[in-house]
Every structure is written in structure tokens, then in C-alpha cells.
Amino acid sequence: MEPLLCKTCGALSLVPMEVVIDPEDPRESPWSPGAESRFYSCHVCGDNWLRVKEDQDGVVQVTFVHQMGMEPTLKRVAHLHAPVYLGEDALDGWRYYVDDEPTDERRWRKKLAGRRRILKSVCCN
């Protein structure tokens, strides 16, 4: 796959990678069997996130886990009315989490922006 533009450092170095979830081993993943997942990682600054798309009886849930391996865990979850995202009309809205605690969008974005500032400063110095 072609590298994408990183939202943190601005380099064309964000690489998406397919992640295989083993449906035979329920201990391996908290996601439902048949979920599609992709891991995005920047080779310059280290920014990364995991996207998991689950379809459960026609209800599509997309979960993003940002900067995996850092504490606290930042997640955002969307429920879609369609199997693919076609715009805001297909979206019920986002729910934001710091660890497993629901939070508001403003606090969540502030934490994400802080992490991205740190990653950008490390690769710029």
C-alpha cells in the first residue's frame, strides 16, 4: 500500500497494515469474529492507531484506538447506518473514551493533541 500523509508530523510516511484477527481463538482479540482491522503507523514520528470495523447484524461499529501502547488508552467509537462511511448522514456520532471511561470530545481531542505534539517535537529536534 502507498504511504499516507501523517496527521502528526506531515510526512508521507503513514503505512497502513492489515491485521488478521483469528476467529478460532476468542482470547486473542476482544473484537467480534469477522471483524476487519487495519493498523496505521508513521515511520517518522511513531504516531499509530488501530481501526477495527465490526458488522453485527447490520449495525456497523468502527473503533479507533489511538497511539497504542501509551497510557491512558484513547478510543473513539462510531456506529454507522451503512456498511461503509459515506458521510456524516451515515453516522450516529462518535463516542469518546479515555481508558474505558466515557469522556467528552473536547477532553479526548486535547489528550490526543498533547500526544501528537510530543511525537512531533521528538522527530523535529
Side-chain angles (χ1 to χ4, degrees):
M1 288 191 182
E2 293 290 317
L4 305 171
L5 188 65
C6 178
K7 294 177 182 178
T8 298
C9 67
L12 259 175
S13 58
L14 189 67
V15 179
M17 296 171 274
E18 195 109 6
V19 178
V20 178
I21 298 172
D22 185 3
E24 301 297 320
D25 187 1
R27 295 170 296 142
E28 184 176 304
S29 170
W31 316 110
S32 64
E36 300 171 21
S37 61
R38 187 161 285 173
F39 182 73
Y40 296 82
S41 179
C42 178
H43 288 223
V44 173
C45 70
D47 189 13
N48 67 76
W49 67 89
L50 175 69
R51 178 193 57 92
V52 179
K53 179 180 163 189
E54 300 174 273
D55 187 345
Q56 298 174 344
D57 301 323
V59 176
V60 178
Q61 176 175 299
V62 181
T63 302
F64 289 88
V65 182
H66 289 266
Q67 280 115 359
M68 297 182 63
M70 294 180 76
E71 295 294 328
T73 302
L74 297 179
K75 289 191 299 188
R76 63 182 176 147
V77 179
H79 291 283
L80 303 175
H81 303 295
V84 291
Y85 179 78
L86 300 173
E88 292 297 318
D89 293 340
L91 181 64
D92 275 341
W94 291 99
R95 290 185 324 225
Y96 297 89
Y97 299 88
V98 174
D99 284 329
D100 288 328
E101 297 296 319
T103 190
D104 61 51
E105 180 180 2
R106 185 173 160 209
R107 178 175 176 244
W108 186 89
R109 290 203 179 274
K110 188 174 180 181
K111 287 197 170 291
L112 181 64
R115 287 185 181 181
R116 286 184 167 167
R117 266 194 310 279
I118 291 168
L119 289 172
K120 187 175 181 178
S121 70
V122 169
C123 75
C124 291
N125 284 331

